[in-house]
Amino acid sequence: MTDVTQAFWQVAYIVAALCVVLAIKWLSSPVTARRGVFAGELGMLLAIIGTLLRTGAVNIEWILIAMVIGTAVGAPLAYLMPMTSVPQLTALSHAFGALAAALVGTAEYYKDFAEGHPTVGFKMVAIVIESLLGYLTVTASVMAFGKLQEIVPTRPMTYKGQNIINLFLFVVAAVLGVWMIITPTPLWVFPAFITLSLLFGVLLILPIGGGDMPTVIALLNSYAGAACAAMGFALENRLLIIAGALNASSGFILSVIMCKAMNRSFMNVLFGAFGQAVTSTAASASSKPVKSATPEDAASILASARRVIVIPGYGMAVAQAQHKLRELTDLLTKKGVQVDFAIHPVAGRMPGHMNVLLAEADIPYDRMHEMEDINPDFPEADVALVIGANDVVNPAARHDKNSPIYGMPILDADKAQTVMVIKRSMNPGFAGIDNELYYMDRTLMLFGDAKSFVGEIVKELGKT
Ligand code: NAP
């Protein structure tokens, strides 16, 4: 390798590492998110170029073939999957990333074996961690994809002695791992270790309900990152260690944030069988009286308001109502109404779900407010307009100790002068529970699909 090539790959690695750090920083705000994606892509490109230069005698044809296959699978997936399926897409991409890490570990193991110096010691520690987390993440992510896509039953699948069996398998895998680290083992041990890791991934997801998959996916993101960092140790590649560690920690922090926002513990997410529809509560709820209103009523209330706070939720995403909402915002703003958007950290079905959809419709970023910032403003708002949100505005979270969402921080929509809720029926949301907000004196239910209903309001407002 010439000095120039040596210098180039080292610089490429440093810049790539910097790009990864900046990407994560910028991705944390909608204002800078695009820049973050670009920095991440640039970092990845530099990392690939740097690695090709560093390793020198690589077989470029094989790499090109792999790139073509990767692009042929990845590009259509990204284009064909709708926005509401991003959690599934993320699960699949984790499965691919983890598979790559696990296969590299496996290849390293067999390469050393074929060269007559079986891997043991520190390098084997890295390969054991990489393979365990990598293979486990592959099957767990595929299962998570299946549950979200409803190919696999979404209900938690539990059976007697489940935790004991899982623990037993984990202990057997750990024993095999330690054995491989200490001394060269018989040929069957590594494949048995891989099989146990793959099986463990499936068993880990079985007892978790489909609704908890987004949180689990954030956790799997963390596992895939840790597998990549371990791969960095096995290959003595610092860039992989940095990128993997960042991925592992950011995935972990994200899952902690999501658990906190839902007031759930990790244990509860992993073993809690949450998200099962409590149909009895829902059925009894529908018999209580509610006040409903028409698009004309809604338009006249909005037109006479000074301040409106919009609360988007999962239903807005399902209905793809964000563009109509933008039209409504423009019309109201022209009439001198101040319109703000209140974003709950777990509104929708994935972190940042609402921010992404509203940004797609060009709603200005300075109109979107985090829960803690906007909550004190609700008592001053003339109207809280709830669009397809349910659990994130359920006051039961504040006082009903028996509610599954008790303790979850909510948006204080009930404190506004008038509350208007757009949804199709009295059906519950994700947590499967009734919402007392709908029965308040100041609440008007606007029954209909979010996109059509907002469209009707826009039409009415346009007439005035
Ligand atoms: P939600 O509680 O699931 O309620 C969504 C509401 O939207 C439903 O009540 C539904 O009522 C309505 N809806 C559905 N399609 C609609 C349409 N086409 N038009 C109008 N309304 C429609 O949603 P949320 O308030 O956003 O709360 C999110 C929930 O997901 C929380 O419980 C959170 O803990 C959970 N969660 C979130 C994440 C995350 O990362 N964001 C991850 C895991 C779990 P109708 O059927 O009557 O229309």
Side-chain angles (χ1 to χ4, degrees), residues 211 214-215 258 262 313-315 318-319 345-351 388-392 408 422-431 448-450:
T215 317
M258 288 167 82
M262 295 189 280
Y314 178 62
V318 176
V346 292
R349 289 294 181 273
M350 60 182 176
N390 190 339
D391 296 341
V392 298
M408 168 172 138
I422 305 183
K423 72 198 291 290
R424 298 163 306 176
S425 63
M426 289 302 287
N427 282 346
F430 169 78
D449 170 74

PDB file of all heavy atoms in Angstrom, residues 211 214-215 258 262 313-315 318-319 345-351 388-392 408 422-431 448-450, ligand 1:
ATOM      1  N   GLY A 211     -48.350  -4.392  19.026  1.00  0.00           N
ATOM      2  CA  GLY A 211     -48.307  -2.961  19.298  1.00  0.00           C
ATOM      3  C   GLY A 211     -47.011  -2.516  19.948  1.00  0.00           C
ATOM      4  O   GLY A 211     -46.629  -1.343  19.862  1.00  0.00           O
ATOM      5  N   PRO A 214     -42.733  -1.428  17.786  1.00  0.00           N
ATOM      6  CA  PRO A 214     -41.854  -0.282  17.527  1.00  0.00           C
ATOM      7  C   PRO A 214     -40.797  -0.099  18.622  1.00  0.00           C
ATOM      8  O   PRO A 214     -39.640   0.193  18.343  1.00  0.00           O
ATOM      9  CB  PRO A 214     -42.820   0.907  17.480  1.00  0.00           C
ATOM     10  CG  PRO A 214     -44.114   0.312  17.056  1.00  0.00           C
ATOM     11  CD  PRO A 214     -44.161  -1.040  17.691  1.00  0.00           C
ATOM     12  N   THR A 215     -41.198  -0.309  19.884  1.00  0.00           N
ATOM     13  CA  THR A 215     -40.224  -0.164  20.980  1.00  0.00           C
ATOM     14  C   THR A 215     -39.184  -1.279  20.897  1.00  0.00           C
ATOM     15  O   THR A 215     -37.984  -1.044  21.080  1.00  0.00           O
ATOM     16  CB  THR A 215     -40.949  -0.245  22.350  1.00  0.00           C
ATOM     17  OG1 THR A 215     -42.131   0.522  22.264  1.00  0.00           O
ATOM     18  CG2 THR A 215     -40.075   0.266  23.453  1.00  0.00           C
ATOM     19  N   MET A 258     -38.957   5.929  24.557  1.00  0.00           N
ATOM     20  CA  MET A 258     -40.296   5.431  24.205  1.00  0.00           C
ATOM     21  C   MET A 258     -40.969   4.793  25.416  1.00  0.00           C
ATOM     22  O   MET A 258     -42.162   5.004  25.661  1.00  0.00           O
ATOM     23  CB  MET A 258     -40.205   4.420  23.055  1.00  0.00           C
ATOM     24  CG  MET A 258     -39.888   5.086  21.733  1.00  0.00           C
ATOM     25  SD  MET A 258     -39.429   3.894  20.496  1.00  0.00           S
ATOM     26  CE  MET A 258     -41.032   3.346  19.953  1.00  0.00           C
ATOM     27  N   MET A 262     -44.385   6.160  27.422  1.00  0.00           N
ATOM     28  CA  MET A 262     -45.576   5.328  27.598  1.00  0.00           C
ATOM     29  C   MET A 262     -45.716   4.907  29.058  1.00  0.00           C
ATOM     30  O   MET A 262     -46.583   4.104  29.387  1.00  0.00           O
ATOM     31  CB  MET A 262     -45.469   4.076  26.708  1.00  0.00           C
ATOM     32  CG  MET A 262     -45.482   4.386  25.234  1.00  0.00           C
ATOM     33  SD  MET A 262     -45.624   2.898  24.236  1.00  0.00           S
ATOM     34  CE  MET A 262     -43.967   2.305  24.250  1.00  0.00           C
ATOM     35  N   GLY A 313     -52.581  12.323  15.574  1.00  0.00           N
ATOM     36  CA  GLY A 313     -52.289  10.997  16.118  1.00  0.00           C
ATOM     37  C   GLY A 313     -52.274   9.963  15.012  1.00  0.00           C
ATOM     38  O   GLY A 313     -52.290  10.304  13.805  1.00  0.00           O
ATOM     39  N   TYR A 314     -52.308   8.718  15.422  1.00  0.00           N
ATOM     40  CA  TYR A 314     -52.176   7.613  14.480  1.00  0.00           C
ATOM     41  C   TYR A 314     -53.213   7.692  13.343  1.00  0.00           C
ATOM     42  O   TYR A 314     -52.913   7.390  12.189  1.00  0.00           O
ATOM     43  CB  TYR A 314     -52.327   6.297  15.256  1.00  0.00           C
ATOM     44  CG  TYR A 314     -52.253   5.076  14.394  1.00  0.00           C
ATOM     45  CD1 TYR A 314     -51.106   4.769  13.677  1.00  0.00           C
ATOM     46  CD2 TYR A 314     -53.350   4.210  14.281  1.00  0.00           C
ATOM     47  CE1 TYR A 314     -51.040   3.648  12.878  1.00  0.00           C
ATOM     48  CE2 TYR A 314     -53.289   3.082  13.487  1.00  0.00           C
ATOM     49  CZ  TYR A 314     -52.137   2.803  12.789  1.00  0.00           C
ATOM     50  OH  TYR A 314     -52.083   1.694  11.992  1.00  0.00           O
ATOM     51  N   GLY A 315     -54.447   8.113  13.680  1.00  0.00           N
ATOM     52  CA  GLY A 315     -55.506   8.192  12.670  1.00  0.00           C
ATOM     53  C   GLY A 315     -55.172   9.171  11.546  1.00  0.00           C
ATOM     54  O   GLY A 315     -55.568   8.966  10.395  1.00  0.00           O
ATOM     55  N   VAL A 318     -52.999   7.172   9.263  1.00  0.00           N
ATOM     56  CA  VAL A 318     -53.762   6.173   8.494  1.00  0.00           C
ATOM     57  C   VAL A 318     -54.516   6.864   7.358  1.00  0.00           C
ATOM     58  O   VAL A 318     -54.520   6.406   6.217  1.00  0.00           O
ATOM     59  CB  VAL A 318     -54.769   5.432   9.417  1.00  0.00           C
ATOM     60  CG1 VAL A 318     -55.630   4.468   8.615  1.00  0.00           C
ATOM     61  CG2 VAL A 318     -54.037   4.702  10.527  1.00  0.00           C
ATOM     62  N   ALA A 319     -55.148   8.002   7.693  1.00  0.00           N
ATOM     63  CA  ALA A 319     -55.965   8.705   6.689  1.00  0.00           C
ATOM     64  C   ALA A 319     -55.109   9.540   5.724  1.00  0.00           C
ATOM     65  O   ALA A 319     -55.612  10.013   4.725  1.00  0.00           O
ATOM     66  CB  ALA A 319     -56.963   9.603   7.400  1.00  0.00           C
ATOM     67  N   PRO A 345     -44.630  12.498  22.246  1.00  0.00           N
ATOM     68  CA  PRO A 345     -43.481  11.672  21.804  1.00  0.00           C
ATOM     69  C   PRO A 345     -43.838  10.291  21.251  1.00  0.00           C
ATOM     70  O   PRO A 345     -43.084   9.752  20.446  1.00  0.00           O
ATOM     71  CB  PRO A 345     -42.612  11.538  23.058  1.00  0.00           C
ATOM     72  CG  PRO A 345     -43.382  12.132  24.179  1.00  0.00           C
ATOM     73  CD  PRO A 345     -44.473  12.967  23.620  1.00  0.00           C
ATOM     74  N   VAL A 346     -44.988   9.705  21.680  1.00  0.00           N
ATOM     75  CA  VAL A 346     -45.335   8.400  21.086  1.00  0.00           C
ATOM     76  C   VAL A 346     -46.660   8.441  20.320  1.00  0.00           C
ATOM     77  O   VAL A 346     -47.322   7.423  20.158  1.00  0.00           O
ATOM     78  CB  VAL A 346     -45.341   7.239  22.118  1.00  0.00           C
ATOM     79  CG1 VAL A 346     -43.961   6.942  22.611  1.00  0.00           C
ATOM     80  CG2 VAL A 346     -46.301   7.499  23.265  1.00  0.00           C
ATOM     81  N   ALA A 347     -47.032   9.626  19.805  1.00  0.00           N
ATOM     82  CA  ALA A 347     -48.210   9.682  18.940  1.00  0.00           C
ATOM     83  C   ALA A 347     -47.880   8.895  17.678  1.00  0.00           C
ATOM     84  O   ALA A 347     -46.758   8.926  17.191  1.00  0.00           O
ATOM     85  CB  ALA A 347     -48.539  11.127  18.593  1.00  0.00           C
ATOM     86  N   GLY A 348     -48.887   8.179  17.152  1.00  0.00           N
ATOM     87  CA  GLY A 348     -48.636   7.352  15.969  1.00  0.00           C
ATOM     88  C   GLY A 348     -48.034   6.019  16.373  1.00  0.00           C
ATOM     89  O   GLY A 348     -48.280   5.534  17.461  1.00  0.00           O
ATOM     90  N   ARG A 349     -47.238   5.463  15.496  1.00  0.00           N
ATOM     91  CA  ARG A 349     -46.714   4.134  15.795  1.00  0.00           C
ATOM     92  C   ARG A 349     -45.199   4.046  15.722  1.00  0.00           C
ATOM     93  O   ARG A 349     -44.628   2.971  15.747  1.00  0.00           O
ATOM     94  CB  ARG A 349     -47.316   3.087  14.826  1.00  0.00           C
ATOM     95  CG  ARG A 349     -48.756   2.777  15.053  1.00  0.00           C
ATOM     96  CD  ARG A 349     -49.030   2.080  16.382  1.00  0.00           C
ATOM     97  NE  ARG A 349     -50.451   1.778  16.526  1.00  0.00           N
ATOM     98  CZ  ARG A 349     -51.340   2.614  17.033  1.00  0.00           C
ATOM     99  NH1 ARG A 349     -50.972   3.810  17.478  1.00  0.00           N
ATOM    100  NH2 ARG A 349     -52.605   2.274  17.123  1.00  0.00           N
ATOM    101  N   MET A 350     -44.530   5.165  15.565  1.00  0.00           N
ATOM    102  CA  MET A 350     -43.065   5.122  15.608  1.00  0.00           C
ATOM    103  C   MET A 350     -42.562   6.498  16.046  1.00  0.00           C
ATOM    104  O   MET A 350     -43.280   7.490  15.905  1.00  0.00           O
ATOM    105  CB  MET A 350     -42.488   4.757  14.236  1.00  0.00           C
ATOM    106  CG  MET A 350     -42.857   5.743  13.168  1.00  0.00           C
ATOM    107  SD  MET A 350     -42.208   5.267  11.587  1.00  0.00           S
ATOM    108  CE  MET A 350     -42.914   6.534  10.557  1.00  0.00           C
ATOM    109  N   PRO A 351     -41.364   6.562  16.610  1.00  0.00           N
ATOM    110  CA  PRO A 351     -40.855   7.850  17.068  1.00  0.00           C
ATOM    111  C   PRO A 351     -40.761   8.833  15.899  1.00  0.00           C
ATOM    112  O   PRO A 351     -40.342   8.461  14.803  1.00  0.00           O
ATOM    113  CB  PRO A 351     -39.453   7.513  17.592  1.00  0.00           C
ATOM    114  CG  PRO A 351     -39.438   6.039  17.771  1.00  0.00           C
ATOM    115  CD  PRO A 351     -40.408   5.464  16.809  1.00  0.00           C
ATOM    116  N   GLY A 388     -57.409  12.081  14.889  1.00  0.00           N
ATOM    117  CA  GLY A 388     -56.968  10.683  14.897  1.00  0.00           C
ATOM    118  C   GLY A 388     -56.043  10.340  16.046  1.00  0.00           C
ATOM    119  O   GLY A 388     -55.297   9.373  15.964  1.00  0.00           O
ATOM    120  N   ALA A 389     -56.063  11.155  17.119  1.00  0.00           N
ATOM    121  CA  ALA A 389     -55.281  10.794  18.308  1.00  0.00           C
ATOM    122  C   ALA A 389     -56.268  10.318  19.365  1.00  0.00           C
ATOM    123  O   ALA A 389     -57.425  10.738  19.375  1.00  0.00           O
ATOM    124  CB  ALA A 389     -54.504  11.992  18.827  1.00  0.00           C
ATOM    125  N   ASN A 390     -55.815   9.447  20.231  1.00  0.00           N
ATOM    126  CA  ASN A 390     -56.712   8.911  21.247  1.00  0.00           C
ATOM    127  C   ASN A 390     -55.986   8.733  22.582  1.00  0.00           C
ATOM    128  O   ASN A 390     -56.157   9.551  23.486  1.00  0.00           O
ATOM    129  CB  ASN A 390     -57.298   7.581  20.725  1.00  0.00           C
ATOM    130  CG  ASN A 390     -58.418   7.058  21.587  1.00  0.00           C
ATOM    131  OD1 ASN A 390     -58.539   7.428  22.737  1.00  0.00           O
ATOM    132  ND2 ASN A 390     -59.240   6.196  21.031  1.00  0.00           N
ATOM    133  N   ASP A 391     -55.133   7.733  22.683  1.00  0.00           N
ATOM    134  CA  ASP A 391     -54.459   7.480  23.971  1.00  0.00           C
ATOM    135  C   ASP A 391     -53.667   8.687  24.468  1.00  0.00           C
ATOM    136  O   ASP A 391     -53.610   8.935  25.676  1.00  0.00           O
ATOM    137  CB  ASP A 391     -53.470   6.307  23.836  1.00  0.00           C
ATOM    138  CG  ASP A 391     -54.173   5.011  23.505  1.00  0.00           C
ATOM    139  OD1 ASP A 391     -55.390   4.921  23.737  1.00  0.00           O
ATOM    140  OD2 ASP A 391     -53.503   4.093  23.004  1.00  0.00           O
ATOM    141  N   VAL A 392     -53.063   9.437  23.544  1.00  0.00           N
ATOM    142  CA  VAL A 392     -52.159  10.512  23.973  1.00  0.00           C
ATOM    143  C   VAL A 392     -52.909  11.722  24.537  1.00  0.00           C
ATOM    144  O   VAL A 392     -52.294  12.673  25.004  1.00  0.00           O
ATOM    145  CB  VAL A 392     -51.207  10.964  22.819  1.00  0.00           C
ATOM    146  CG1 VAL A 392     -50.319   9.819  22.379  1.00  0.00           C
ATOM    147  CG2 VAL A 392     -51.972  11.556  21.658  1.00  0.00           C
ATOM    148  N   MET A 408     -48.761   7.634  32.113  1.00  0.00           N
ATOM    149  CA  MET A 408     -48.190   8.079  30.831  1.00  0.00           C
ATOM    150  C   MET A 408     -48.434   9.589  30.700  1.00  0.00           C
ATOM    151  O   MET A 408     -49.565  10.043  30.899  1.00  0.00           O
ATOM    152  CB  MET A 408     -48.874   7.328  29.676  1.00  0.00           C
ATOM    153  CG  MET A 408     -48.614   7.871  28.305  1.00  0.00           C
ATOM    154  SD  MET A 408     -49.314   6.733  27.050  1.00  0.00           S
ATOM    155  CE  MET A 408     -50.040   7.881  25.932  1.00  0.00           C
ATOM    156  N   ILE A 422     -61.700  14.456  15.782  1.00  0.00           N
ATOM    157  CA  ILE A 422     -62.050  13.799  14.518  1.00  0.00           C
ATOM    158  C   ILE A 422     -61.615  12.341  14.594  1.00  0.00           C
ATOM    159  O   ILE A 422     -60.426  12.042  14.756  1.00  0.00           O
ATOM    160  CB  ILE A 422     -61.354  14.470  13.310  1.00  0.00           C
ATOM    161  CG1 ILE A 422     -61.672  15.957  13.270  1.00  0.00           C
ATOM    162  CG2 ILE A 422     -61.746  13.780  12.007  1.00  0.00           C
ATOM    163  CD1 ILE A 422     -61.078  16.699  12.077  1.00  0.00           C
ATOM    164  N   LYS A 423     -62.559  11.426  14.502  1.00  0.00           N
ATOM    165  CA  LYS A 423     -62.278   9.991  14.381  1.00  0.00           C
ATOM    166  C   LYS A 423     -63.510   9.328  13.787  1.00  0.00           C
ATOM    167  O   LYS A 423     -64.557   9.957  13.699  1.00  0.00           O
ATOM    168  CB  LYS A 423     -61.834   9.382  15.722  1.00  0.00           C
ATOM    169  CG  LYS A 423     -62.919   9.230  16.779  1.00  0.00           C
ATOM    170  CD  LYS A 423     -62.319   9.048  18.159  1.00  0.00           C
ATOM    171  CE  LYS A 423     -61.602   7.727  18.358  1.00  0.00           C
ATOM    172  NZ  LYS A 423     -62.494   6.564  18.415  1.00  0.00           N
ATOM    173  N   ARG A 424     -63.372   8.070  13.391  1.00  0.00           N
ATOM    174  CA  ARG A 424     -64.468   7.478  12.640  1.00  0.00           C
ATOM    175  C   ARG A 424     -65.588   6.906  13.509  1.00  0.00           C
ATOM    176  O   ARG A 424     -66.721   6.787  13.081  1.00  0.00           O
ATOM    177  CB  ARG A 424     -63.929   6.373  11.718  1.00  0.00           C
ATOM    178  CG  ARG A 424     -62.956   6.894  10.681  1.00  0.00           C
ATOM    179  CD  ARG A 424     -62.149   5.774  10.092  1.00  0.00           C
ATOM    180  NE  ARG A 424     -61.492   5.006  11.149  1.00  0.00           N
ATOM    181  CZ  ARG A 424     -60.771   3.929  10.961  1.00  0.00           C
ATOM    182  NH1 ARG A 424     -60.604   3.475   9.735  1.00  0.00           N
ATOM    183  NH2 ARG A 424     -60.202   3.301  11.967  1.00  0.00           N
ATOM    184  N   SER A 425     -65.235   6.521  14.739  1.00  0.00           N
ATOM    185  CA  SER A 425     -66.215   5.832  15.573  1.00  0.00           C
ATOM    186  C   SER A 425     -65.832   6.044  17.037  1.00  0.00           C
ATOM    187  O   SER A 425     -64.937   6.822  17.337  1.00  0.00           O
ATOM    188  CB  SER A 425     -66.164   4.339  15.266  1.00  0.00           C
ATOM    189  OG  SER A 425     -64.873   3.851  15.629  1.00  0.00           O
ATOM    190  N   MET A 426     -66.465   5.295  17.933  1.00  0.00           N
ATOM    191  CA  MET A 426     -66.075   5.373  19.348  1.00  0.00           C
ATOM    192  C   MET A 426     -65.050   4.276  19.681  1.00  0.00           C
ATOM    193  O   MET A 426     -64.794   4.000  20.840  1.00  0.00           O
ATOM    194  CB  MET A 426     -67.315   5.240  20.248  1.00  0.00           C
ATOM    195  CG  MET A 426     -68.229   6.446  20.204  1.00  0.00           C
ATOM    196  SD  MET A 426     -67.380   7.959  20.697  1.00  0.00           S
ATOM    197  CE  MET A 426     -67.231   7.700  22.461  1.00  0.00           C
ATOM    198  N   ASN A 427     -64.488   3.657  18.653  1.00  0.00           N
ATOM    199  CA  ASN A 427     -63.525   2.578  18.899  1.00  0.00           C
ATOM    200  C   ASN A 427     -62.300   3.090  19.644  1.00  0.00           C
ATOM    201  O   ASN A 427     -61.911   4.239  19.487  1.00  0.00           O
ATOM    202  CB  ASN A 427     -63.058   1.977  17.565  1.00  0.00           C
ATOM    203  CG  ASN A 427     -64.098   1.040  17.001  1.00  0.00           C
ATOM    204  OD1 ASN A 427     -65.019   0.646  17.714  1.00  0.00           O
ATOM    205  ND2 ASN A 427     -63.982   0.716  15.738  1.00  0.00           N
ATOM    206  N   PRO A 428     -61.708   2.203  20.464  1.00  0.00           N
ATOM    207  CA  PRO A 428     -60.522   2.640  21.209  1.00  0.00           C
ATOM    208  C   PRO A 428     -59.290   2.727  20.307  1.00  0.00           C
ATOM    209  O   PRO A 428     -59.323   2.290  19.154  1.00  0.00           O
ATOM    210  CB  PRO A 428     -60.340   1.541  22.253  1.00  0.00           C
ATOM    211  CG  PRO A 428     -60.983   0.329  21.659  1.00  0.00           C
ATOM    212  CD  PRO A 428     -62.079   0.812  20.759  1.00  0.00           C
ATOM    213  N   GLY A 429     -58.210   3.275  20.885  1.00  0.00           N
ATOM    214  CA  GLY A 429     -56.942   3.347  20.148  1.00  0.00           C
ATOM    215  C   GLY A 429     -56.048   2.177  20.502  1.00  0.00           C
ATOM    216  O   GLY A 429     -56.545   1.115  20.902  1.00  0.00           O
ATOM    217  N   PHE A 430     -54.766   2.402  20.428  1.00  0.00           N
ATOM    218  CA  PHE A 430     -53.760   1.355  20.616  1.00  0.00           C
ATOM    219  C   PHE A 430     -53.898   0.609  21.943  1.00  0.00           C
ATOM    220  O   PHE A 430     -53.830  -0.613  22.003  1.00  0.00           O
ATOM    221  CB  PHE A 430     -52.370   1.997  20.512  1.00  0.00           C
ATOM    222  CG  PHE A 430     -51.248   1.112  20.928  1.00  0.00           C
ATOM    223  CD1 PHE A 430     -50.777   0.130  20.074  1.00  0.00           C
ATOM    224  CD2 PHE A 430     -50.656   1.247  22.175  1.00  0.00           C
ATOM    225  CE1 PHE A 430     -49.744  -0.695  20.451  1.00  0.00           C
ATOM    226  CE2 PHE A 430     -49.619   0.430  22.559  1.00  0.00           C
ATOM    227  CZ  PHE A 430     -49.157  -0.548  21.695  1.00  0.00           C
ATOM    228  N   ALA A 431     -54.150   1.353  23.053  1.00  0.00           N
ATOM    229  CA  ALA A 431     -54.198   0.710  24.369  1.00  0.00           C
ATOM    230  C   ALA A 431     -55.495  -0.048  24.596  1.00  0.00           C
ATOM    231  O   ALA A 431     -55.640  -0.748  25.593  1.00  0.00           O
ATOM    232  CB  ALA A 431     -53.990   1.746  25.476  1.00  0.00           C
ATOM    233  N   GLY A 448     -65.877  10.761  11.306  1.00  0.00           N
ATOM    234  CA  GLY A 448     -65.574  10.589   9.881  1.00  0.00           C
ATOM    235  C   GLY A 448     -64.099  10.303   9.683  1.00  0.00           C
ATOM    236  O   GLY A 448     -63.300  10.384  10.636  1.00  0.00           O
ATOM    237  N   ASP A 449     -63.741   9.970   8.460  1.00  0.00           N
ATOM    238  CA  ASP A 449     -62.331   9.769   8.134  1.00  0.00           C
ATOM    239  C   ASP A 449     -61.609  11.125   8.242  1.00  0.00           C
ATOM    240  O   ASP A 449     -62.157  12.151   7.800  1.00  0.00           O
ATOM    241  CB  ASP A 449     -62.241   9.228   6.701  1.00  0.00           C
ATOM    242  CG  ASP A 449     -60.823   9.212   6.211  1.00  0.00           C
ATOM    243  OD1 ASP A 449     -60.055   8.343   6.667  1.00  0.00           O
ATOM    244  OD2 ASP A 449     -60.465  10.093   5.397  1.00  0.00           O
ATOM    245  N   ALA A 450     -60.427  11.119   8.825  1.00  0.00           N
ATOM    246  CA  ALA A 450     -59.747  12.386   9.107  1.00  0.00           C
ATOM    247  C   ALA A 450     -59.543  13.231   7.846  1.00  0.00           C
ATOM    248  O   ALA A 450     -59.805  14.440   7.851  1.00  0.00           O
ATOM    249  CB  ALA A 450     -58.413  12.103   9.782  1.00  0.00           C
TER     250      ALA A 450
HETATM  251  P1  NAP B   1     -54.256   5.720  19.106  1.00  0.00           P
HETATM  252  O1  NAP B   1     -54.463   5.821  20.564  1.00  0.00           O
HETATM  253  O2  NAP B   1     -53.815   4.425  18.558  1.00  0.00           O
HETATM  254  O3  NAP B   1     -55.630   6.169  18.418  1.00  0.00           O
HETATM  255  C1  NAP B   1     -55.723   6.358  17.058  1.00  0.00           C
HETATM  256  C2  NAP B   1     -57.152   6.718  16.742  1.00  0.00           C
HETATM  257  O4  NAP B   1     -57.183   7.055  15.365  1.00  0.00           O
HETATM  258  C3  NAP B   1     -58.120   5.576  16.952  1.00  0.00           C
HETATM  259  O5  NAP B   1     -58.902   5.783  18.098  1.00  0.00           O
HETATM  260  C4  NAP B   1     -58.963   5.555  15.657  1.00  0.00           C
HETATM  261  O6  NAP B   1     -60.330   5.678  15.984  1.00  0.00           O
HETATM  262  C5  NAP B   1     -58.484   6.784  14.903  1.00  0.00           C
HETATM  263  N1  NAP B   1     -58.394   6.550  13.462  1.00  0.00           N
HETATM  264  C6  NAP B   1     -57.896   5.489  12.810  1.00  0.00           C
HETATM  265  N2  NAP B   1     -58.006   5.634  11.495  1.00  0.00           N
HETATM  266  C7  NAP B   1     -58.612   6.828  11.291  1.00  0.00           C
HETATM  267  C8  NAP B   1     -59.015   7.555  10.138  1.00  0.00           C
HETATM  268  N3  NAP B   1     -58.834   7.081   8.900  1.00  0.00           N
HETATM  269  N4  NAP B   1     -59.594   8.764  10.320  1.00  0.00           N
HETATM  270  C9  NAP B   1     -59.794   9.254  11.571  1.00  0.00           C
HETATM  271  N5  NAP B   1     -59.445   8.615  12.680  1.00  0.00           N
HETATM  272  C10 NAP B   1     -58.848   7.408  12.557  1.00  0.00           C
HETATM  273  O7  NAP B   1     -53.223   6.798  18.568  1.00  0.00           O
HETATM  274  P2  NAP B   1     -52.368   7.908  19.329  1.00  0.00           P
HETATM  275  O8  NAP B   1     -53.229   8.789  20.161  1.00  0.00           O
HETATM  276  O9  NAP B   1     -51.502   8.506  18.269  1.00  0.00           O
HETATM  277  O10 NAP B   1     -51.495   7.093  20.358  1.00  0.00           O
HETATM  278  C11 NAP B   1     -50.434   6.242  19.947  1.00  0.00           C
HETATM  279  C12 NAP B   1     -50.484   4.963  20.738  1.00  0.00           C
HETATM  280  O11 NAP B   1     -49.532   4.049  20.159  1.00  0.00           O
HETATM  281  C13 NAP B   1     -50.102   5.160  22.198  1.00  0.00           C
HETATM  282  O12 NAP B   1     -50.849   4.285  23.022  1.00  0.00           O
HETATM  283  C14 NAP B   1     -48.622   4.767  22.206  1.00  0.00           C
HETATM  284  O13 NAP B   1     -48.200   4.318  23.474  1.00  0.00           O
HETATM  285  C15 NAP B   1     -48.635   3.633  21.192  1.00  0.00           C
HETATM  286  N6  NAP B   1     -47.297   3.375  20.609  1.00  0.00           N
HETATM  287  C16 NAP B   1     -46.630   4.371  19.981  1.00  0.00           C
HETATM  288  C17 NAP B   1     -45.367   4.163  19.492  1.00  0.00           C
HETATM  289  C18 NAP B   1     -44.575   5.269  18.832  1.00  0.00           C
HETATM  290  O14 NAP B   1     -43.359   5.139  18.713  1.00  0.00           O
HETATM  291  N7  NAP B   1     -45.217   6.331  18.390  1.00  0.00           N
HETATM  292  C19 NAP B   1     -44.791   2.900  19.602  1.00  0.00           C
HETATM  293  C20 NAP B   1     -45.512   1.880  20.223  1.00  0.00           C
HETATM  294  C21 NAP B   1     -46.774   2.137  20.724  1.00  0.00           C
HETATM  295  P3  NAP B   1     -61.458   5.175  14.957  1.00  0.00           P
HETATM  296  O15 NAP B   1     -61.152   3.758  14.664  1.00  0.00           O
HETATM  297  O16 NAP B   1     -62.713   5.381  15.678  1.00  0.00           O
HETATM  298  O17 NAP B   1     -61.345   6.037  13.739  1.00  0.00           O
END
